[in-house]
């Protein structure tokens, strides 16, 4: 029988497998108390501040650490979510917000503020496990406490051939009313099929 | 059951601390890296411990002795962190305790990359690769050592904690404190 022409990777399975929802995946993975995560992250940030001293350097390292995590987490994400490679950036953003965040952080984000070209949007997090019980001291002006998260998103997207710029527009620890992460698509490298169709 | 996150979040953080401190910040100073990683664990325990203690000891007075405190670590505290208790506890009754976890969670889930990261040579003999793997594994243990040290410290027991992984997947945490 004829296989319908796959829009994405030629390696999608013959029988269509429905993508799993964020809730379903989260319920199926090993989970731990969010507090352990929050406090471990807090201890890491404090140590980085002590060791690196400059807030800008800490921001940079948090982003780098996030990137390193993101390029690995994407594998777990793709394996567990059955999401075939998204070609459309709009779809990608929704998947990150509803499936990605949910299966790891246990919370979903909302996607808003699309630009006209559909290459830039905001992910809004109302609930953010990284920051429970956290208050930034006066001495940490300029710290983007959640910068690890922007790195994770950037790293994960790079692994699916989307080069992005991810920045915090709003940060509740800095007095704003929400966490707003702007994701801007810079370049998308279309996936290259390793085999020719007629071979 | 309160808020949860996936376990891979925590493990990712730990793997990344080890990687950042071990190969980026203090690339050629493993002892310094180890101390920093242990310090993070120690601090973490300080905050986390307070939460766990509140949950378990609202009605209980402070632990009457050293052994009771260690037992709390082995049962309640370990269960909170690793969903299982310590499998075996040994003591010499003179301030030394050995906490044995037969399947230490953070080691069994981590893929410890045995390939040497920083050396330019592609011809490392397998023995050297094995050493690197062992070194990587022990780097991962400084954090839980710090956590145990922090927890015990919060219980009024200052001590030094080290780990022994000569019998993987079992992991032994050794706590040494002054006799009081």
């Amino acid at each position: 029988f004829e296989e319908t022409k796959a829009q994405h990777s030629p390696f999608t399975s013959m029988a269509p497998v429905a993508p799993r929802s964020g809730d379903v995946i989260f319920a199926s993975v090993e989970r731990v108390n969010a507090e352990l995560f929050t406090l471990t992250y807090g201890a890491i940030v404090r140590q980085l501040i002590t060791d690196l001293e400059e807030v800008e350097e800490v921001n940079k390292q948090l982003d780098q650490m996030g990137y390193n995590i993101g390029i690995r987490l994407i594998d777990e994400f793709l394996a567990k979510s059955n999401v075939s490679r998204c070609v459309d950036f709009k779809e990608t953003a929704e998947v990150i917000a509803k499936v990605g965040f949910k299966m790891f952080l246990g919370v979903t984000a909302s996607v808003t503020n699309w630009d006209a070209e559909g290459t830039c949007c905001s992910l809004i997090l109302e609930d953010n496990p990284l920051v429970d019980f956290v208050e930034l001291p006066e001495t940490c002006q300029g710290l983007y406490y959640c910068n690890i998260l922007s790195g994770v998103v950037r790293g994960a997207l790079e692994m699916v051939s989307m080069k992005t710029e991810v920045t915090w527009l709003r940060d509740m620890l800095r007095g704003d009313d929400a966490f707003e992460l702007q994701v801007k698509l810079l370049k998308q490298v279309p996936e290259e099929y390793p085999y020719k169709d007629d071979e | 059951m309160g808020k949860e996150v996936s376990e891979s979040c925590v493990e990712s953080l730990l793997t990344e601390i080890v990687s950042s401190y071990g190969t980026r910040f203090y690339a050629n100073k493993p002892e310094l890296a180890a101390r920093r990683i242990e310090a993070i664990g120690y601090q973490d325990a300080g905050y986390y411990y307070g939460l766990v203690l509140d949950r378990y000891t609202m009605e209980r007075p402070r632990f009457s002795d050293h052994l009771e405190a260690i037992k709390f670590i082995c049962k309640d505290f370990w269960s909170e962190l690793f969903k299982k208790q310590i499998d075996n506890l040994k003591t010499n009754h003179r301030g030394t305790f050995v906490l044995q976890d037969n399947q230490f969670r953070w080691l069994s889930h981590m893929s410890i990359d045995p390939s040497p990261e920083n050396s330019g040579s592609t011809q490392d003999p397998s023995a050297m690769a094995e050493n690197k793997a062992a070194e990587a594994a022990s780097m991962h243990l400084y954090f839980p050592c710090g956590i145990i040290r922090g927890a015990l410290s919060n219980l009024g027991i200052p001590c030094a904690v080290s780990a022994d992984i000569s019998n993987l997947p079992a992991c032994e945490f050794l706590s040494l404190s002054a006799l009081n």
Side-chain angles (χ1 to χ4, degrees):
Chain A
F1 62 98
E2 244 186 37
E3 195 185 323
T4 42
K5 193 161 180 120
Q7 269 185 307
H8 319 294
S9 154
F11 301 112
T12 44
S13 52
M14 299 281 268
V17 182
R20 301 166 77 202
S21 79
D23 290 323
V24 164
I25 305 171
F26 190 61
S28 75
V29 299
E30 289 285 354
R31 297 180 302 282
V32 296
N33 278 334
E35 290 151 349
L36 175 60
F37 176 66
T38 307
L39 294 168
T40 300
Y41 185 67
I44 293 172
V45 175
R46 277 178 170 244
Q47 191 65 45
L48 285 175
I49 292 172
T50 304
D51 293 334
L52 304 175
E53 288 167 14
E54 301 257 337
V55 154
E56 261 320 302
E57 190 58 29
V58 176
N59 287 338
K60 196 176 112 188
Q61 291 303 334
L62 285 175
D63 181 80
Q64 182 65 46
M65 287 171 70
Y67 178 85
N68 294 342
I69 291 174
I71 62 179
R72 292 193 298 265
L73 276 190
I74 186 71
D75 289 335
E76 187 180 338
F77 171 78
L78 290 172
K80 296 197 166 131
S81 66
N82 290 333
V83 168
S84 45
R85 298 289 176 97
C86 299
V87 173
D88 180 56
F89 185 62
K90 284 203 160 185
E91 194 191 335
T92 304
E94 283 293 328
V95 161
I96 295 174
K98 301 292 184 263
V99 184
F101 278 8
K102 182 71 192 185
M103 69 183 266
F104 292 113
L105 295 176
V107 297
T108 53
S110 51
V111 188
T112 60
N113 291 346
W114 280 104
D115 69 350
E117 294 88 35
T119 56
C120 184
C121 68
S122 286
L123 302 175
I124 314 267
L125 265 176
E126 252 141 61
D127 193 3
N128 183 350
L130 279 174
V131 305
D132 294 334
F133 336 111
V134 172
E135 265 171 38
L136 285 190
E138 286 290 314
T139 50
C140 290
Q141 298 285 336
L143 178 69
Y144 282 102
Y145 186 85
C146 302
N147 236 22
I148 204 166
L149 209 48
S150 47
V152 169
V153 172
R154 187 169 62 86
L157 286 175
E158 194 163 305
M159 289 296 107
V160 291
S161 310
M162 294 184 190
K163 218 158 164 62
T164 56
E165 197 175 83
V166 186
T167 44
W168 289 103
L169 290 186
R170 279 188 287 168
D171 183 335
M172 284 178 93
L173 293 179
R174 294 175 131 200
D176 300 318
D177 56 352
F179 287 99
E180 183 175 349
L181 196 60
Q182 183 183 72
V183 186
K184 192 163 162 191
L185 179 67
L186 300 174
K187 189 164 92 167
Q188 185 171 358
V189 180
E191 253 191 78
E192 291 192 358
Y193 299 152
Y195 305 112
K196 286 213 201 106
D197 274 346
D198 53 13
E199 265 179 11
Chain B
M1 181 178 54
K3 225 197 255 190
E4 292 183 311
V5 298
S6 79
E7 189 168 37
S8 49
C9 285
V10 173
E11 291 186 346
S12 298
L13 279 185
L14 300 185
T15 303
E16 199 41 46
I17 307 170
V18 171
S19 169
S20 290
Y21 275 88
T23 66
R24 289 194 293 129
F25 304 155
Y26 299 115
N28 294 311
K29 302 176 198 167
E31 275 166 32
L32 216 51
R35 273 216 289 277
R36 291 297 185 274
I37 295 168
E38 202 267 359
I40 296 174
Y42 180 80
Q43 266 197 71
D44 190 9
Y47 310 131
Y48 189 67
Y49 172 79
L51 284 170
V52 175
L53 194 65
D54 279 345
R55 222 173 272 147
Y56 285 100
T57 63
M58 294 274 268
E59 287 111 28
R60 271 193 251 168
R62 279 183 70 88
F63 294 109
S64 45
D65 66 18
H66 203 147
L67 183 60
E68 286 307 304
I70 294 268
K71 280 186 185 170
F72 173 80
I73 299 291
C74 291
K75 294 189 188 161
D76 302 319
F77 192 71
W78 213 255
S79 296
E80 278 286 331
L81 282 179
F82 305 112
K83 303 192 204 183
K84 66 184 283 288
Q85 300 185 359
I86 281 285
D87 295 302
N88 197 0
L89 175 67
K90 291 179 276 205
T91 179
N92 66 357
H93 298 288
R94 281 193 232 152
T96 299
F97 292 90
V98 179
L99 292 71
Q100 185 181 320
D101 188 326
N102 289 333
Q103 190 86 40
F104 187 54
R105 209 173 171 91
W106 285 346
L107 267 190
S108 59
H109 288 181
M110 280 172 189
S111 55
I112 291 157
D113 184 4
S115 60
E117 277 184 39
N118 284 326
S119 95
S121 148
T122 48
Q123 290 178 356
D124 283 294
S126 61
M128 198 170 152
E130 254 177 56
N131 272 345
K132 281 274 179 181
E135 196 181 288
S138 35
M139 270 298 185
H140 277 94
L141 290 169
Y142 285 110
F143 184 79
C145 284
I147 289 198
I148 297 169
R149 185 169 72 88
L152 286 170
S153 165
N154 273 276
L155 282 164
I157 304 169
C159 60
V161 179
S162 57
D164 177 355
I165 45 167
S166 43
N167 288 314
L168 279 174
C171 185
E172 287 188 357
F173 293 96
L174 179 73
S175 159
L176 282 163
S177 61
L179 242 194
N180 49 358

